[in-house]
Structures are given as structure tokens and as C-alpha cells.
Amino acid sequence: MSLRVIFAGTPEFAAAALADLLKAGFSVPLVLTQPDRPAGRGMKLQASPVKALALQQGIPVAQPRSLRLDGKYPEDAAAARQALLDARADVMVVAAYGLILPQWVLDMPPRGCLNIHASLLPRWRGAAPIHRAIEAGDAETGITIMQMDAGLDTGDMLLIERLKIAADDSTASLHDRLARLGGRMIVEALELAACGGLTRTVQPGEGVCYAHKIEKAEAQIDWAQDAAQIERRLRAFDPFPGGLSQLDGEAIKIWRAEPAEGSGPEGQVLRVDEAGLVVACGQGALRLTELQRAGGKRLSAAAFLQARPIAVGAVFKNA
């Protein structure tokens, strides 16, 4: 049996899954994605990666601002409802869509809505599971294919696969591996669903954490934190929002760092060489290896220091 699949998603993580579904031969009569957003220096409206792929493949796209029939944009929700009905799909696949699905959406496909979630549920529910896993120092993460319900990532688990978090993983690198894993797993889940082979497992009630959305203000580096904690946050916030600190009144972005020997006042530069600059933290020290000036490019420490020398004894401060 070949399932007809409505796909709902927005960023690159979701586009990877849509590409795998199409490659596997699933019929996708409709794609839901977020409305176009302004982006780039010109702030021109830009289609999401999912929309771009759908249009390339000739798949109809709906971009409602809301799916709540009684909400702020009832006309959008009504139009989306008609599009969903017309699609006559067996199942909906959801991956980082960005809109809450009301009950009428969850109930519409005969086989319900399956979510590709980038966490070993229930460890990280919410908007930013990849970032928060790195920030917390988790040794592993993974993908959970979940049967969606009205709660926030509370539905029954269908498939789960683990993935080791490397010591140098950033959100960018881990995202790409999880996206590939999610695409493979949703194909497997739908193939099993087509022959009645999926087993549902209720999520454990213990070990639940909420992965709050990443805020730009979190970029501010608190040098009073220990070196390991700051280093994890830098990796977690790459590519957004990075790490930010003030040096002699100038905002400096810090992208990469590694543990180093040394101690001193918080934020003080202890050593400077081609390998980087060693900065004291609340406990331990970090060698900063990749930095960026406002309006500039990300540079290795050696290249950065050629353009912007930093003396021993200088102090990085919170903004």
C-alpha cells in the first residue's frame, strides 16, 4: 500500500525529510510551510527551504499564518482546511513546522500526524532540542518518530534511534546528521505504517526537560561561568546566535573555543599566540580559536589577531 502524505515543515531539517520521502516514492499531494519571511541585507521575502523544494517538485504549497479556525486568521485556517480535505491524504508528516496543530488537524488524516523530533523523548520537548542537548553536555541524542497528540511533544513514540554527540559538535554539525537520520527514519516509519507494523510506546513520565526557544540575548557570555559550560554554549549557539562579549567597548563574537590551562580574573586575557588567546573563566580557562568583529567574517584566531591585536591583560566583559 502506498500512502498519500501531507508534509508540514519549514527549515532545512524538514526539507531533508521531504526529499527522502519523495525519493522513496511516497505521494505528497500538499505541503504546509510557514509564510515567506524577510531575509538578507535587502530583507526581501524568502521562501522556506521546504517551500523551495516543493515548488521545484511541482507540489502545491499552503502557507497559513494560523491553523486555528477561531483564531486571528480564520480565513487562512479555513483555506488550509479545504486544502487538507482536497489532498485526501492518509497521514501527515510534521517536521519543525512552527505552527501549533489544533485538534481538527490532528484528527483529519486517517493515520494521524507523525512528528520527526530531534531528541530522545522525553529528554527534550520543545523548540530547540538540538541546541539544549549540546548546552547541557548530553553524551547522546537522536530522533524520535512520534504519533502527535494535543500536548507539546507528548505523543506516543513509534521509532527511536540514538546518535552520539561528538566533543566538537556544534548545533550546525549535529543538525545535519540528525536531519539525515530523521529522513531515513520517517521513510521507515511510513513503510511500517503501510503494513501495520508500527508499535506505539507511551513516553515515560520521568526525565522530561523543556527545550526553550533560543533567544538572541543568550549570546552574551558570562565569564563567571566555568570554562566547560561556556565552551558548550558556544557550540550550542553556532550558527545562532553565537557568543558575544565586549572588549574595549567593541562587540566581539566568539564562535569556537577549547579548554586551556590558566586562571585569573574572569574575562582577562592570559596568553596570546597564533593558536588563540587564552581567557580566564570563573573556573578554568578557554583558548578562543574563532572570532568575528562586527560587520566582519568569522576568522581563525591567527587571522583575527593580525587585523585586531589583543594584548595580555585585556579584559572581555559582559555587555
Side-chain angles (χ1 to χ4, degrees):
M1 176 184 178
S2 179
L3 299 177
R4 288 172 62 83
V5 182
I6 293 170
F7 188 87
T10 299
E12 289 288 353
F13 179 86
L18 176 58
D20 281 351
L21 289 175
L22 295 172
K23 185 177 179 180
F26 286 97
S27 173
V28 181
L30 177 66
V31 159
L32 298 180
T33 192
Q34 286 273 338
D36 296 356
R37 306 291 190 198
R41 292 194 174 183
M43 296 302 285
K44 294 181 179 179
L45 289 178
Q46 184 171 319
S48 72
V50 164
K51 179 181 178 179
L53 177 58
L55 294 180
Q56 179 186 351
Q57 298 296 320
I59 302 171
V61 175
Q63 297 177 271
R65 290 167 290 180
S66 170
L67 290 167
R68 289 185 54 187
L69 294 169
D70 60 349
K72 186 176 179 181
Y73 304 106
E75 67 282 3
D76 283 32
R81 185 175 187 276
Q82 189 58 54
L84 289 169
L85 288 169
D86 292 343
R88 304 186 312 279
D90 301 294
V91 65
M92 178 187 286
V93 169
V94 182
Y97 177 31
L99 287 185
I100 295 174
L101 302 189
Q103 194 64 47
W104 70 261
V105 177
L106 298 173
D107 293 341
M108 182 173 288
R111 295 177 183 267
C113 301
L114 307 189
N115 178 245
I116 308 170
H117 188 73
S119 166
L120 301 173
L121 288 171
R123 170 59 174 157
W124 291 110
R125 294 174 179 170
I130 301 175
H131 308 73
R132 300 307 181 190
I134 294 175
E135 182 185 17
D138 290 2
E140 63 178 4
T141 184
I143 292 289
T144 304
I145 305 297
M146 176 188 67
Q147 187 80 45
M148 296 181 71
D149 61 16
L152 178 63
D153 300 328
T154 56
D156 291 348
M157 301 181 294
L158 304 172
L159 292 178
I160 190 164
E161 191 163 328
R162 299 175 182 274
L163 188 68
K164 180 178 173 57
I165 299 177
D168 62 348
D169 260 328
S170 65
T171 287
S173 63
L174 187 56
H175 164 281
D176 291 349
R177 299 210 313 280
L178 286 168
R180 291 192 293 271
L181 178 60
R184 175 174 64 76
M185 288 177 65
I186 194 60
V187 169
E188 179 184 352
L190 292 180
E191 289 174 343
L192 287 170
C195 62
L198 275 180
T199 301
R200 297 170 64 146
T201 302
V202 176
Q203 290 190 40
E206 298 180 351
V208 176
C209 296
Y210 180 63
H212 292 273
K213 179 182 177 181
I214 303 299
E215 302 292 345
K216 190 173 182 180
E218 294 184 77
Q220 297 292 334
I221 296 173
D222 180 2
W223 297 100
Q225 294 180 333
D226 66 69
Q229 187 175 3
I230 295 173
E231 189 272 339
R232 291 197 306 268
R233 286 172 64 88
L234 292 177
R235 290 188 288 113
F237 298 160
D238 180 1
F240 175 84
L244 187 64
S245 195
Q246 296 284 327
L247 184 67
D248 299 328
E250 180 183 5
I252 304 290
K253 273 209 166 184
I254 300 164
W255 291 104
R256 282 279 175 168
E258 60 189 26
E261 295 293 328
S263 62
E266 298 159 3
Q268 186 176 80
V269 177
L270 305 177
R271 297 189 300 280
V272 179
D273 55 38
E274 288 190 357
L277 49 152
V278 176
V279 178
C281 305
Q283 183 174 343
L286 287 175
R287 176 176 287 105
L288 312 186
T289 59
E290 189 174 344
L291 305 94
Q292 180 181 5
R293 300 182 78 175
K297 297 180 180 179
R298 292 171 62 156
L299 298 173
S300 68
F304 182 91
L305 291 168
Q306 285 181 353
R308 207 293 190 189
I310 298 175
V312 171
V315 178
F316 283 93
K317 298 180 179 180
N318 300 344

